[in-house]
């Protein structure tokens, strides 16, 4: 008998570590799809992956320290595993470029926000040439949504409608790293949404750095409202969300589309940043508090049940106590259901970094603590109003840290609030839908401890139970600026005015 040695190669494994915003989370789904198409497999359990990819963020000041510290911890693991590769992409890679390899010479690949599709080729080139590959483009190579994506969820999906930003906010480094706004063709967006729904997805979130300026590239200022209405015509799509809009572009037709399209959720995340008109001007935020609060009033008039969230920066250069009190006043008037609050972070390359009157850390921290205390009080008060109400919950996975010990499950209500509920005699899966009654309100979540009123099994739940997540091919043929887009459906009534 002749013994033969198998030449079958074991596929290389990968792990992606994501930092930052929803755009980065969705980009990581694209990176996973690219690597899977190139023959890699996702690492499982505690195994050390053959390829570790960092998809980075550059918005916060400590982003650099966090990345380089993590790379330092990974260096001995790479030394102990021949053939292991490390890749760094995202906004920090776009900013630091070859500096990453200089500070961490064990990194194999550096790629930017404009060429995520190059990752598999760069990994292979680094392996073949036995030297680091740094490839940063200054303009978008291909729209990310034309790339395959290995989705993270069987029931909820991200859909990019634009990338980049045309605003010039003085505190923000994103436009210099993501570039000018590029809008996808409406037909491509809707095709991707339909593909996800065909796979069982119940909820989509439309993504853009400035989502409601969608249409600027092809000259249709009503395009975003039309897109929301068109999503309402997709059978099986139960929830539509979007993030993040800019107050300067928020128009009445969008409010009408939200109110009149049944599957568009009555939840709105709209960054405020400051309640001081003087600081808004210094930030180059082209709206003032009167306009902002006017939008809030219109949204609540059309959708009294709307949950409105926001972003707020504390300690912008030159902020006085009077400026800060203005922010507290707007928070009281707007009654946000929650807020993402940030201490101003000085980012090299932004105009605000050069402004005088940078505030002492102790002053910023004290104001930050006061803002958080006020917002927590507001959030808790609004949550208490939910007690006794019936809520529809899309069951999720990973939302409840203590679900196992409390014997509860968790998910999101239509307005985006986190709900921990007792399943009772039902056995819902992530992706199923339950109706239940809120029995208790905490500052950051709701509890429903009674027997669910209903439980609906879904295709998403079937696929979650089977461990199947959508894998979508790229939608579209390249850059969105090639050719004129097909027109969206005409609108009538409020949206046409």
């Amino acid at each position: 008998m002749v013994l033969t040695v198998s030449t079958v190669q074991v596929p290389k494994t990968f792990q992606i570590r994501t930092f930052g915003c929803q755009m980065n989370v969705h980009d990581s789904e694209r990176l996973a799809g690219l690597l899977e198409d190139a023959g890699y497999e996702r690492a499982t359990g505690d195994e050390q992956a053959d390829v570790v990819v960092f998809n980075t963020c550059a918005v916060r000041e400590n982003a650099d320290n966090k990345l380089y510290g993590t790379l330092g911890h990974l260096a001995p693991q790479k030394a102990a595993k021949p053939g292991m590769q490390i890749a760094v992409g995202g906004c920090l890679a776009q900013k630091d470029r070859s500096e990453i390899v200089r500070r961490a010479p064990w990194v194999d690949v550096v790629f930017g926000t404009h060429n995520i599709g190059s990752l598999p080729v760069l990994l292979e080139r680094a392996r073949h040439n036995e030297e680091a590959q740094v490839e940063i483009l200054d303009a978008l190579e291909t729209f990310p949504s034309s790339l395959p994506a290995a989705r993270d969820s069987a029931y909820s999906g991200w859909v990019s409608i634009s990338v980049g930003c045309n605003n010039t906010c003085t505190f923000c480094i994103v436009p210099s790293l993501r570039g000018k706004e590029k809008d996808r063709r409406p037909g491509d967006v809707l095709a991707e949404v339909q593909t996800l729904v065909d796979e069982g997805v119940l909820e989509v979130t439309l993504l853009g750095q400035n989502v409601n300026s969608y249409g600027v590239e092809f000259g249709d200022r009503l395009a975003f409202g039309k897109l929301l209405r068109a999503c309402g015509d997709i059978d099986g799509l139960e929830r539509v969300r979007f993030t993040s809009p800019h107050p300067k572009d928020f128009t009445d037709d969008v409010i009408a589309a939200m109110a009149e399209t049944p599957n568009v959720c009555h939840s709105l995340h709209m960054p405020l940043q400051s309640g001081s008109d003087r600081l808004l001007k210094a930030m180059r935020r082209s709206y003032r508090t009167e306009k902002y609060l006017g939008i809030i009033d219109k949204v609540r008039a059309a959708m009294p049940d709307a949950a409105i969230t926001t972003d707020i920066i504390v300690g912008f250069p030159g902020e006085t106590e009077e400026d800060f009190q203005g922010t507290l006043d707007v928070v009281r008037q707007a009654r946000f259901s929650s807020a993402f609050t940030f201490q101003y972070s000085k980012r090299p390359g932004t105009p605000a970094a050069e402004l005088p009157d940078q505030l002492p850390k102790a002053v910023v921290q004290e104001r930050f603590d006061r803002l958080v205390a006020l917002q927590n009080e507001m959030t808790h008060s609004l949550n208490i109003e939910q007690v006794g109400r019936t809520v529809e919950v899309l069951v999720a996975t990973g939302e409840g840290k203590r679900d196992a010990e409390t014997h509860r499950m968790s998910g999101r209500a239509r307005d985006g609030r986190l709900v921990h509920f007792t399943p009772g005699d039902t056995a819902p899966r992530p992706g199923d839908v339950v109706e239940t009654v809120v029995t208790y309100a905490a500052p950051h979540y709701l509890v429903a401890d009674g027997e669910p009123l209903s439980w609906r099994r879904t295709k998403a739940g079937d696929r979650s139970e089977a461990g199947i997540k959508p894998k979508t091919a790229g939608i579209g043929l390249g850059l969105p600026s090639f050719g004129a887009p097909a027109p969206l459906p005409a609108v009538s009534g409020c949206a046409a005015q």
Side-chain angles (χ1 to χ4, degrees):
M1 181 174 65
V2 178
L3 295 178
T4 60
V5 178
S6 173
T7 58
V8 176
Q9 291 187 337
V10 177
K12 292 183 179 295
T13 59
F14 72 91
Q15 178 193 63
I16 300 175
R17 303 186 189 182
T18 307
F19 305 93
C21 66
Q22 297 96 329
M23 192 70 74
N24 270 20
V25 173
H26 185 36
D27 282 350
S28 289
E29 293 181 328
R30 299 287 174 196
L31 293 170
L34 286 162
L35 291 173
E36 288 183 3
D37 278 7
Y40 295 84
E41 292 183 354
R42 198 183 295 265
T44 58
D46 297 326
E47 70 172 303
Q48 179 59 61
D50 297 305
V51 174
V52 179
V53 183
F54 292 91
N55 191 5
T56 64
C57 174
V59 171
R60 308 303 298 158
E61 189 173 15
N62 66 354
D64 308 56
N65 295 335
K66 188 172 184 179
L67 173 66
Y68 292 113
T70 305
L71 289 174
H73 288 304
L74 203 56
Q77 298 177 39
K78 181 180 179 182
K81 186 179 174 67
M84 178 181 171
Q85 291 184 293
I86 300 172
V88 179
C91 288
L92 192 59
Q94 188 77 23
K95 178 176 77 75
D96 283 4
R97 305 187 175 215
S98 57
E99 174 71 6
I100 293 174
V101 175
R102 189 190 69 78
R103 294 180 60 175
W106 53 93
V107 169
D108 299 276
V109 169
V110 178
F111 62 101
T113 58
H114 298 311
N115 63 318
I116 65 174
S118 301
L119 177 60
V121 171
L122 293 173
L123 288 169
E124 184 58 36
R125 192 186 301 163
R127 190 179 297 118
H128 180 271
N129 294 349
E130 296 184 346
E131 65 178 11
Q133 302 295 307
V134 179
E135 184 174 289
I136 306 291
L137 301 184
D138 292 322
L140 194 65
E141 182 180 59
T142 182
F143 201 97
S145 296
S146 66
L147 304 172
R151 305 286 180 159
D152 288 335
S153 170
Y155 49 86
S156 182
W158 308 102
V159 176
S160 289
I161 69 171
S162 65
V163 294
C165 182
N166 293 341
N167 294 315
T168 58
C169 301
T170 56
F171 57 80
C172 186
I173 197 170
V174 168
S176 66
L177 302 179
R178 290 277 183 178
K180 292 292 186 181
E181 181 174 328
K182 290 287 186 180
D183 295 331
R184 292 178 71 191
R185 296 182 177 97
D188 287 350
V189 174
L190 295 172
E192 184 174 345
V193 174
Q194 184 67 64
T195 298
L196 288 170
V197 172
D198 291 344
E199 291 282 330
V201 167
L202 299 176
E203 174 185 85
V204 298
T205 301
L206 305 177
L207 282 180
Q209 249 86 35
N210 183 12
V211 70
N212 59 324
S213 67
Y214 176 73
V216 65
E217 196 174 23
F218 47 84
D220 184 355
R221 67 181 184 87
L222 299 179
F224 185 61
K226 294 176 186 176
L227 188 64
L228 290 177
R229 292 179 184 275
C231 286
D233 294 330
I234 298 178
D235 290 338
L237 179 59
E238 299 190 13
R239 296 184 177 187
V240 179
R241 305 186 188 279
F242 57 89
T243 194
S244 289
H246 194 295
K248 79 177 179 64
D249 297 309
F250 208 92
T251 50
D252 291 350
D253 65 291
V254 172
I255 297 173
M258 291 179 66
E260 297 167 9
T261 310
N263 64 358
V264 176
C265 294
H266 293 177
S267 60
L268 174 65
H269 181 77
M270 189 165 64
L272 168 67
Q273 306 305 3
S274 175
S276 162
D277 286 349
R278 189 181 72 84
L279 287 191
L280 289 173
K281 182 178 180 181
M283 291 176 172
R284 292 187 195 153
R285 301 285 290 178
S286 46
Y287 57 88
R288 300 297 177 257
T289 53
E290 183 178 1
K291 176 175 181 176
Y292 186 95
L293 289 170
I295 294 170
I296 298 293
D297 289 343
K298 289 180 180 179
V299 169
R300 290 219 166 97
M303 296 165 282
D305 60 336
I308 301 173
T309 61
T310 195
D311 295 334
I312 300 172
I313 296 172
V314 178
F316 186 81
E319 181 187 72
T320 64
E321 178 63 25
E322 182 181 2
D323 293 324
F324 179 66
Q325 285 296 330
T327 295
L328 296 182
D329 288 344
V330 173
V331 168
R332 293 186 185 98
Q333 293 178 68
R335 302 182 76 233
F336 299 115
S337 61
S338 67
F340 295 92
T341 51
F342 305 93
Q343 297 185 32
Y344 169 74
S345 182
K346 186 177 181 180
R347 303 306 289 139
T350 61
E354 306 302 321
L355 290 176
D357 300 324
Q358 302 281 331
L359 270 62
K361 169 67 175 175
V363 172
V364 178
Q365 184 66 55
E366 190 273 336
R367 290 177 184 169
F368 178 81
D369 291 342
R370 276 192 281 158
L371 174 61
V372 170
L374 173 63
Q375 182 56 56
N376 284 347
E377 178 184 330
M378 190 75 62
T379 299
H380 195 192
S381 174
L382 291 171
N383 280 355
I384 288 172
E385 294 178 7
Q386 302 297 311
V387 175
R389 294 182 180 176
T390 299
V391 291
E392 178 196 88
V393 180
L394 175 57
V395 184
T397 181
E399 294 274 23
K401 301 285 191 294
R402 297 176 57 238
D403 281 355
E405 59 187 90
T406 60
H407 305 292
R408 295 186 180 117
M409 299 183 73
S410 299
R412 295 281 171 176
R414 290 190 66 85
D415 64 8
R417 285 184 169 92
L418 177 61
V419 181
H420 303 302
F421 68 94
T422 302
D425 294 332
T426 65
R429 297 88 41 93
D432 286 347
V433 178
V434 301
E435 281 191 321
T436 188
V437 177
V438 177
T439 57
Y440 170 77
H444 301 295
Y445 58 86
L446 305 175
V447 173
D449 271 342
E451 186 78 18
L453 302 179
S454 66
W455 163 37
R456 175 160 55 87
R457 297 173 66 93
T458 66
K459 182 178 178 180
D462 295 340
R463 294 174 73 87
S464 286
E465 189 173 35
I468 302 172
K469 297 178 181 178
K471 175 74 179 290
T472 52
I475 303 293
L477 300 176
L479 284 171
S481 55
F482 294 167
L488 280 160
V491 295
S492 58
C494 298
Q497 298 174 7

